[in-house]
């Protein structure tokens, strides 16, 4: 009350006397602050909002802002000269920052800490007060060193101050050194104004640094302590806050610091637990997703770490909040990795693996395997930062022999197990693994296995006619039945002739003087004629052109993605492709072929298609098609060349599919009204409208349609791959 | 408060062009001349009515300084509208528009509606960028254009509301996939227990009023 009265007197005096200079006003408010503490009663329960303290301090800040604005307007006049108020601060004549730091520490009267922190943040954001000057950065250091315990009521103000400070450092990287500990020479202790009362918070300022650093971890050795970034510690604590606004500010502040181009700061951040902390938050969010959640719920969620305002109420649908939080942290990791200094990105990727992937991977062999698989697959799909994608791929294939890498074996087990849902999610994961795989992971999973070409029959054991007979025999199973009705047999012959003609036409379109190899003709025919006409749902092969167009597009995508891969330059591949299967007669017999756990699992599933539901089979063909499209000559040969004699007891895609075709060719005609039902199933499955017809379907008919379409797709891929190889030569 | 739709906006442009002031004028109807540098994102929200429908605008005010672009980029995604602001009294803020536009187009969804704003129209005497130049730039890049003053509030309402109208029209035309929140549009919990108010009704949001094809 009294102080308010004095203000009134002051304004009255202004009317009579000339207005005081800005500095005088500045000093006046400072004196009022000092007076306040001179008369301060420690036992007072008064809150800071009920005092004149905010008024005086805010005025001082405003005077600094005005002074700077005036100087900027008349920049030419006194360029470089400090304003009088700023100078008073710089000379510590009016130690405003010290006072604010002391208030932040003492919190007297109650609420002074929040006020002081907010004013310090405003000082940093509104003025250009040089942090190089010790009377400004010294107090800020003390605030950082004396951070409040977690979940303090002033967390929000602390977070704003930290963001403002990180913002300053981002614009002036040289400032970073001022916020490390230990500092080479500590700033002199606060010189108190002579009038300072004995028991005020300003007086209580301890000698800086030394004592407080002890509070940190208690193992401080004065001289050989490694340099650490003071900004990082409170910031990382805030990442764990329960207040989403505090977490948001901490995320922003870390991003700002990490994006500094200065290697010293990147190094300091890398030696702080920042990356580990972010990865741990990701893991905690992963573990918090309720196990009964439907993985499909992840699709429609906004993906960004900053996509919801921090104060927005959480969505009510069960699990969505946790799911959103998980993908939010994932996106933050990704963003951080893309925006940060390369040295830090490498460190973050390692922490991502050691602190997130390793622990999350354990969930794949536990009860929540289904959800864990779905989340990890979506995780890999969403990642964009090359370092993280690389690390993820490397983690999937491990280091030692692939057959001994537990993670991959778990995935393969899950894929071959009896739980169709888990098989499906694992296959979806495989699709992403192939799609986003790096050179090393693809090499280990697939390419190294086929590069030896061990799947080709050694010349001595080769018997072309036997292989051909095998294929004939497959068709024969149905022939035996069809002979009973000669009309069908005739149609089958016509069908084969037409398919051959169309393939011939397709090949003739290639403007190449060399005749298309007869083997390609055979390969395409092998796929297109795998199923006898009698059980085809679409004997005309209407979508074939569409498959060719799709395959062309996807092959181009692969070509772009793998352009830098070493195996693309491997000249041996060109030899391997010499379509004439008799050319490599002189090669030494390779070791027995081992397709590796990954391909083996896929081919085993292919062989068991009739026992699996439609959705699993469809996903399986998606993974296989993606592999077949890889522009790798040996892989292409292994998957797409039925005409090449394969070594005995070697699993190949064509052998697996032939087995399935043979079973279907026998089983399907035994179903009552199979033609009509087949036709209907086709309409149901391929219709654009999901609600068209949901009458129950027979699983065998569904399998048949998947196989029929897959054969067309493989024929198209074989054709497109062949086209590409010829263009290369 | 119940709403039919929620639209997310971002405000972008060079530092000091008045982004935060535009937001404050729109949400609180006041002008604060203090230049408080934005580093992280600041939020604002307000209800408007279009075509008789309550629409909540959720506005994200971003940092203009180059140093903080790493944060700003994170906010482009998931915005349905953007106000791209320059200062008519500072030519360089107009010259940087192309960079802002490239950044926005690269990081946002392709349907995002962008409104070009020439702010500080009250400072006619210090004008460095002619209105015609703003119009020409907007025409060339397919943007909507308006000059505003966050200080006098001239055209501020219009800028925010016209952007919303444009988004609303795109929804009617079926351009936006309103079921994917990543596009910056959310269907409100409307039609459910009218008058319940507060935190909004049950999670089951009905079909959008306009419907989509």
């Amino acid at each position: 009350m009294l102080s308010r009265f004095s203000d009134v007197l002051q304004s009255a005096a202004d009317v009579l006397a000339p207005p005081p200079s800005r500095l005088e006003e500045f000093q006046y408010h400072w004196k009022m602050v000092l007076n306040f503490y001179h008369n301060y009663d420690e036992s007072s329960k008064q809150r800071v909002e009920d005092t004149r303290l905010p008024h005086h301090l805010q005025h001082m800040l405003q005077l600094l802002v005005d002074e700077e604005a005036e100087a900027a307007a008349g920049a030419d006049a006194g360029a470089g000269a400090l304003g009088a108020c700023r100078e008073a601060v710089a000379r510590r004549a009016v130690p405003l920052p010290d006072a604010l730091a002391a208030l932040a520490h003492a919190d007297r009267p109650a609420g002074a800490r929040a006020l002081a922190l907010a004013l310090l943040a405003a000082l940093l954001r509104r003025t250009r007060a040089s942090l190089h000057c010790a009377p400004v950065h010294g107090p800020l250091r003390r605030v950082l060193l004396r951070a409040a315990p977690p979940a303090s009521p002033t967390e929000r103000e602390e977070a704003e101050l930290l963001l403002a400070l990180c913002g300053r450092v981002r614009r002036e990287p040289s400032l970073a050194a001022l916020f490390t500990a230990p500092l080479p020479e500590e700033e002199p202790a606060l010189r108190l104004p002579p009038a300072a009362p004995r028991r005020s918070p300003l007086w209580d300022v301890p000698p800086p640094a030394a004592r407080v650093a002890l509070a940190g971890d208690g193992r401080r050795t004065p001289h050989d302590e490694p340099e650490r970034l003071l900004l990082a510690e409170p910031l990382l604590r805030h990442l764990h806050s329960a207040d989403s606004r505090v977490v948001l500010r901490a995320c922003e502040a870390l991003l700002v610091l990490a994006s500094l181009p200065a290697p010293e700061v990147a190094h300091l951040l890398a030696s702080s637990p920042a990356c580990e902390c972010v990865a741990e938050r990701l893991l905690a969010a992963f573990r918090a997703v309720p196990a009964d959640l439907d993985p499909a719920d992840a699709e429609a969620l906004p993906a960004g770490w900053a996509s919801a305002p921090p104060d927005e109420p959480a969505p009510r649908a069960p699990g969505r909040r946790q799911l959103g939080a998980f993908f939010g942290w994932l996106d933050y990791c990704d963003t951080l990795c893309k925006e940060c200094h390369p040295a830090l990105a490498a460190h973050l990727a390692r922490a991502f693996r050691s602190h997130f992937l390793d622990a999350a991977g354990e969930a794949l062999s536990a009860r929540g395997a289904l959800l864990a698989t779905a989340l990890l697959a979506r995780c890999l799909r969403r990642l964009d930062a090359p370092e993280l994608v690389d690390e993820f791929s490397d983690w999937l294939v491990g280091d030692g022999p692939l057959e001994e890498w537990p993670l991959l074996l778990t995935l393969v087990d899950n894929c071959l197990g009896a739980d169709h849902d888990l098989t499906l999610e694992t296959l979806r994961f495989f699709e992403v693994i192939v799609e986003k795989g790096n050179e090393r992971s693809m090499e280990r999973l697939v390419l190294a296995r086929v590069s030896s070409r061990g799947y080709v029959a050694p010349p001595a054991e080769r018997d072309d006619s036997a292989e051909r007979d095998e294929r004939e025999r497959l068709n024969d199973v149905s022939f035996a039945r069809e002979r009973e009705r000669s009309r069908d047999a005739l149609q089958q012959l016509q069908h084969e002739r037409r398919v051959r003609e169309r393939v011939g036409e397709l090949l003739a379109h290639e403007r190449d003087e060399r005749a298309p190899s007869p083997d390609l003709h055979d390969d395409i025919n092998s796929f297109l004629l795998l199923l006898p006409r009698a059980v085809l749902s679409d004997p005309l092969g209407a979508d074939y052109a569409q498959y060719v167009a799709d395959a062309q597009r996807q092959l181009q995508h692969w070509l772009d993605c793998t352009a830098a891969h070493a195996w693309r330059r491997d000249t041996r591949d060109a030899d391997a492709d010499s379509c004439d299967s008799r050319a490599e007669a002189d090669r030494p017999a390779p070791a027995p072929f081992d397709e590796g756990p990954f391909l083996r699992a896929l081919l085993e599933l292919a062989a068991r298609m009739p026992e699996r539901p439609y959705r699993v089979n469809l996903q399986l063909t998606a993974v296989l098609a993606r592999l077949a499209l890889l522009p790798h000559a040996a892989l292409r040969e292994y998957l797409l060349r039925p005409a090449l004699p394969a070594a005995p007891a070697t699993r190949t895609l064509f052998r697996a599919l032939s087995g399935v075709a043979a079973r279907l060719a026998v089983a399907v005609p035994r179903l009552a009204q199979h033609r009509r039902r087949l036709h209907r199933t086709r309409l149901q499955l391929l219709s654009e409208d999901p609600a068209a017809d949901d009458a129950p379907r027979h699983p065998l008919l569904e399998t048949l349609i998947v196989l029929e379409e897959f054969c067309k797709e493989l024929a198209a891929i074989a054709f497109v791959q062949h086209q590409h190889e010829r263009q290369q030569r | 408060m119940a709403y039919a739709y929620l639209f997310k906006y971002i405000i972008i442009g060079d530092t000091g062009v008045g982004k935060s002031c535009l937001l404050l004028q729109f949400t609180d109807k006041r002008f604060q001349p203090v230049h408080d540098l934005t580093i992280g994102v600041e939020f604002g929200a307000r209800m408007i009515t279009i075509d008789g429908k309550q629409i909540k605008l959720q506005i994200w005010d971003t940092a203009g300084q180059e140093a903080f672009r790493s944060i700003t980029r994170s906010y482009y995604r998931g915005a349905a509208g953007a106000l791209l602001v320059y200062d008519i009294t500072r030519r360089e803020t107009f010259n940087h528009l192309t960079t802002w536009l490239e950044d926005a187009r690269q990081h946002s969804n392709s349907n995002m509606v962008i409104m070009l704003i020439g702010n500080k129209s009250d400072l006619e005497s210090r004008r460095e960028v002619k209105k015609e130049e703003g119009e020409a730039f907007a025409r060339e890049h397919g943007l909507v254009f308006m000059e505003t003053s966050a200080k006098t509030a001239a055209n501020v309402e219009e800028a925010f509301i016209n952007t919303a109208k444009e988004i609303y029209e795109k929804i009617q035309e079926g351009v936006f996939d309103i079921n994917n929140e990543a596009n910056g549009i959310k269907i409100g919990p409307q039609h459910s227990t009218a008058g319940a108010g507060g935190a909004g009704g049950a999670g089951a949001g009905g079909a959008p009023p306009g419907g989509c094809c």
Side-chain angles (χ1 to χ4, degrees):
Chain A
M1 193 62 196
L2 212 65
S3 59
R4 228 161 279 175
F5 183 63
S6 75
D7 273 6
V8 173
L9 278 182
Q10 183 68 41
S11 358
D14 285 352
V15 180
L16 304 171
S21 71
R22 187 174 280 130
L23 179 62
E24 281 165 344
E25 218 180 318
F26 194 63
Q27 285 165 332
Y28 158 75
H29 286 291
W30 173 241
K31 224 165 104 194
M32 297 311 284
V33 172
L34 288 179
N35 276 346
F36 175 86
Y37 281 105
H38 188 67
N39 303 319
Y40 184 65
D41 173 9
E42 287 284 347
S43 61
S44 161
K45 295 269 187 290
Q46 201 180 26
R47 286 195 58 82
V48 74
E49 296 83 12
D50 302 326
T51 71
R52 296 287 287 164
L53 212 50
H55 165 83
H56 294 301
L57 290 171
Q58 261 149 10
H59 251 87
M60 292 178 78
L61 174 66
Q62 191 57 47
L63 288 167
L64 284 168
V65 171
D66 292 347
E67 182 182 84
E68 204 168 90
E70 201 170 90
D76 337 302
L82 278 185
C85 300
R86 259 267 298 274
E87 203 177 335
V89 172
R91 284 191 294 105
R92 246 184 184 134
V94 177
L96 178 64
D98 288 295
L100 293 176
L103 289 186
H105 180 56
D107 197 20
R108 274 175 289 167
R113 175 170 172 78
L115 173 72
L117 293 173
L119 285 169
L120 279 171
L123 185 72
L124 292 176
R125 290 161 77 130
R126 288 186 199 161
T127 72
R128 268 170 234 156
S130 169
L131 291 187
H132 286 292
C133 119
V136 181
H137 75 244
L140 283 167
R141 272 179 63 89
R142 285 202 296 280
V143 171
L144 290 178
L145 284 164
R146 252 190 247 122
S152 86
T154 53
E155 243 185 350
R156 283 195 177 193
E157 287 81 7
E158 283 163 42
E160 293 290 349
L161 175 60
L162 271 173
L163 178 61
L165 205 46
C166 291
R168 268 305 189 79
V169 173
R170 175 67 183 79
R171 285 181 292 160
E172 263 183 276
S174 59
L175 289 175
L178 296 174
F179 295 100
T180 55
L183 195 65
E185 74 261 24
E186 287 292 352
E187 69 275 13
L190 169 60
R191 196 160 35 79
L192 285 164
R198 199 168 288 175
R199 284 171 53 222
S200 87
L202 300 186
W203 182 252
D204 284 348
V205 176
R211 222 174 71 192
V212 195
L214 272 174
D217 49 20
R219 52 182 170 76
R220 182 176 192 265
T221 47
H223 294 297
D224 50 1
E225 185 188 12
E227 202 182 21
R228 63 185 215 279
L229 195 58
L230 289 178
L231 293 165
E233 290 161 32
L235 222 154
L236 299 184
R237 210 171 36 246
H238 286 165
L239 285 182
H240 290 279
S241 169
D243 182 341
S244 54
R245 184 174 283 269
V246 171
V247 179
L248 177 78
R249 289 297 179 236
C251 283
E252 289 176 335
L254 182 57
L255 190 57
V256 161
L257 271 190
S259 69
L260 259 174
E264 311 85 72
V265 179
H267 187 74
L268 280 170
L269 273 177
S271 55
S272 81
C275 295
E276 288 76 6
C277 184
V278 171
E280 275 163 14
R281 289 296 282 132
L282 178 64
L283 179 66
F286 176 84
R287 287 183 168 153
V289 179
D292 55 350
L293 192 87
D294 180 0
D297 282 356
E299 292 308 323
L301 277 179
W305 63 275
S307 58
D311 301 326
E312 196 177 56
R316 290 183 165 202
R320 268 179 76 92
R321 182 175 58 82
Q322 291 90 335
L323 203 57
F326 170 63
F327 286 113
W329 278 107
L330 182 75
D331 181 58
Y332 183 67
C333 272
D334 200 42
T335 306
L336 190 61
C337 200
K338 282 189 286 186
E339 298 284 355
C340 75
H341 190 276
L344 193 58
H347 186 79
L348 177 61
R350 282 193 296 275
F352 178 74
R353 177 170 176 168
S354 62
H355 285 68
F356 169 63
L357 288 177
D358 281 347
E362 285 167 18
L364 291 173
S365 47
R367 277 183 57 193
L370 181 66
L371 182 66
T373 310
L375 289 181
L376 281 171
R378 282 167 174 85
C379 187
L380 179 56
R381 188 179 290 287
R382 287 189 179 197
L383 283 179
D384 189 35
E387 292 87 353
L388 293 182
V389 175
D390 248 15
E391 194 70 44
F392 204 129
S393 295
D394 283 350
W395 172 71
L396 284 165
V397 297
D399 294 312
L402 196 61
E403 281 76 0
E404 291 166 20
W405 180 236
L407 175 72
L408 187 73
L409 298 187
T410 304
L411 285 174
V412 164
D413 279 352
N414 289 351
C415 186
L416 295 174
D419 179 348
H420 294 322
D421 289 332
L422 187 53
T423 304
L424 179 65
E425 284 304 338
T426 308
L427 282 172
R428 285 188 180 141
F429 195 10
F430 282 176
E431 188 181 5
V432 192
I433 290 173
V434 171
E435 209 171 293
K436 296 201 102 167
N438 63 3
E439 185 167 5
R440 179 167 171 273
S441 73
M442 290 310 287
E443 178 72 21
R444 280 174 64 80
L445 277 180
V446 179
L447 304 182
R449 303 294 169 155
V450 294
S451 297
S452 66
R453 299 185 72 231
Y455 48 82
V456 181
E461 295 166 30
R462 188 174 292 173
D463 184 355
D464 278 6
S465 61
E467 189 77 15
R468 271 178 216 277
D469 285 351
E470 169 71 9
R471 269 178 284 140
E472 300 274 308
R473 195 191 56 76
L474 290 172
N475 277 339
D476 250 12
V477 179
S478 55
F479 258 120
R481 299 179 59 81
E482 289 190 17
R483 275 193 206 104
E484 291 162 20
R485 285 172 292 176
S486 58
R487 204 169 63 90
D488 275 5
L490 190 64
Q491 279 185 343
Q492 170 73 17
L493 286 174
Q494 280 172 346
H495 168 66
E496 290 185 15
R497 194 165 58 238
R498 218 186 43 248
V499 169
R500 289 206 171 91
E501 273 169 18
R502 284 190 52 188
V503 172
E505 266 172 46
L506 263 173
L507 298 181
H509 276 303
E510 288 187 73
R511 277 167 299 205
D512 194 318
E513 306 78 48
R514 287 168 294 185
S517 84
D519 284 352
L520 174 66
H521 224 286
D522 275 1
D523 291 335
I524 294 182
N525 279 337
S526 302
F527 287 122
L528 291 180
L529 296 174
L530 184 67
L531 282 161
R533 185 188 181 280
V535 296
L536 288 184
S537 67
D538 167 40
L540 296 174
D543 316 322
Y544 187 65
Q546 185 59 45
Y547 280 117
V548 171
D550 284 350
Q552 258 153 353
R553 192 172 41 78
Q554 291 179 44
L555 176 66
Q556 191 52 51
H557 174 73
W558 267 133
L559 288 170
D560 296 342
C561 298
T562 59
H565 291 191
W567 50 262
R568 288 282 299 279
R569 294 184 294 277
D570 192 347
T571 48
R572 201 183 37 176
D573 289 348
D575 297 341
D577 187 58
S578 60
C579 297
D580 182 1
S581 54
R582 282 154 289 270
E584 68 280 336
D586 302 328
R587 280 170 195 260
F593 180 62
D594 175 12
E595 66 281 80
F598 186 71
L599 282 174
R600 194 179 312 132
L602 294 177
L603 295 183
E604 256 177 57
L605 275 183
R608 292 197 230 147
M609 274 169 75
E611 295 134 48
R612 304 277 160 171
Y614 172 72
R615 57 186 203 283
V616 167
N617 290 335
L618 197 63
Q619 185 59 37
L620 172 69
T621 60
V623 181
L624 285 167
R626 212 163 272 280
L627 280 174
L629 274 158
L630 256 175
H632 183 278
L635 182 64
R636 180 200 134 200
E637 183 181 64
Y638 176 58
L639 293 176
L640 293 174
R641 299 229 22 222
L644 188 78
T650 294
R651 249 189 221 91
T652 70
L653 179 59
F654 187 71
R655 280 180 177 166
L657 297 182
S658 300
V660 176
R663 279 171 69 183
L664 292 175
V666 174
V668 167
R670 286 189 188 147
L671 299 173
Q673 299 182 303
H674 77 271
R675 291 219 61 85
R676 195 179 58 77
R677 288 170 70 189
L678 188 59
H679 184 66
R680 184 163 178 198
T681 308
R682 180 177 180 83
L683 285 181
Q684 283 177 318
L685 294 181
L686 301 182
S687 163
E688 298 277 308
D689 184 0
D693 180 0
D694 50 3
R697 301 181 292 259
H698 196 287
L700 275 187
L701 297 180
E702 290 179 322
T703 307
L704 184 117
I705 286 170
V706 174
L707 181 61
E708 184 181 345
E709 293 303 308
F710 188 41
C711 283
K712 282 188 225 167
E713 190 175 10
L714 287 174
I717 296 172
F719 171 66
V720 166
Q721 287 269 28
H722 175 82
Q723 227 178 5
H724 168 69
E725 288 287 336
R726 287 171 79 87
Q727 280 162 4
Q728 294 297 99
R729 273 186 259 138
Chain B
M1 182 108 122
Y3 53 83
Y5 291 109
L6 181 148
F7 296 165
K8 278 190 192 172
Y9 280 15
I10 50 168
I11 313 183
I12 52 174
D14 273 8
T15 186
V17 297
K19 297 184 291 297
S20 305
C21 292
L22 280 169
L23 176 60
L24 194 68
Q25 182 58 262
F26 180 66
T27 57
D28 290 26
K29 297 195 192 312
R30 64 194 171 93
F31 177 70
Q32 197 175 28
V34 176
H35 177 62
D36 196 347
L37 182 72
T38 310
I39 302 173
V41 80
E42 301 293 338
F43 303 90
R46 210 186 107 180
M47 282 290 195
I48 58 167
T49 308
I50 292 178
D51 206 10
K53 305 233 159 43
Q54 288 283 80
I55 291 177
K56 181 174 178 175
L57 298 186
Q58 192 177 75
I59 306 150
W60 310 58
D61 176 26
T62 65
Q65 285 212 349
E66 176 67 39
F68 309 134
R69 217 50 72 78
S70 58
I71 298 183
T72 305
R73 272 195 284 270
S74 293
Y75 291 98
Y76 281 117
R77 261 179 318 164
L83 303 189
L84 170 54
V85 189
Y86 68 91
D87 176 351
I88 64 157
T89 70
R90 276 158 60 216
R91 163 71 57 184
E92 75 271 17
T93 66
F94 182 76
N95 294 344
H96 294 156
L97 288 177
T98 325
T99 323
W100 279 109
L101 207 53
E102 275 167 16
D103 230 30
R105 295 243 155 99
Q106 190 188 339
H107 293 97
S108 65
N109 79 68
S110 53
N111 290 317
M112 184 166 82
V113 172
I114 304 178
M115 160 82 78
L116 180 65
I117 307 260
N119 191 34
K120 309 198 185 174
S121 63
D122 53 292
L123 300 177
E124 193 55 51
S125 58
R126 283 160 52 192
R127 179 189 281 276
E128 285 184 11
V129 184
K130 283 203 252 18
K131 190 173 181 186
E132 294 73 35
E133 294 177 84
E135 283 166 349
F137 186 91
R139 239 191 339 270
E140 188 186 334
H141 294 91
L143 318 174
V144 194
F145 173 68
M146 211 167 246
E147 281 196 350
T148 62
S149 164
K151 190 171 182 181
T152 67
N155 270 345
V156 173
E157 292 274 317
E158 289 80 355
F160 284 89
I161 290 171
N162 289 0
T163 310
K165 279 185 184 156
E166 190 111 341
I167 297 169
Y168 186 76
E169 273 166 30
K170 282 199 172 187
I171 294 176
Q172 304 299 310
E173 290 162 13
V175 178
F176 273 115
D177 173 11
I178 47 175
N179 293 312
N180 190 345
E181 274 182 45
N183 287 328
I185 297 169
K186 201 156 109 184
I187 307 170
Q190 87 286 24
H191 301 324
S192 61
T193 56
C212 69
C213 29

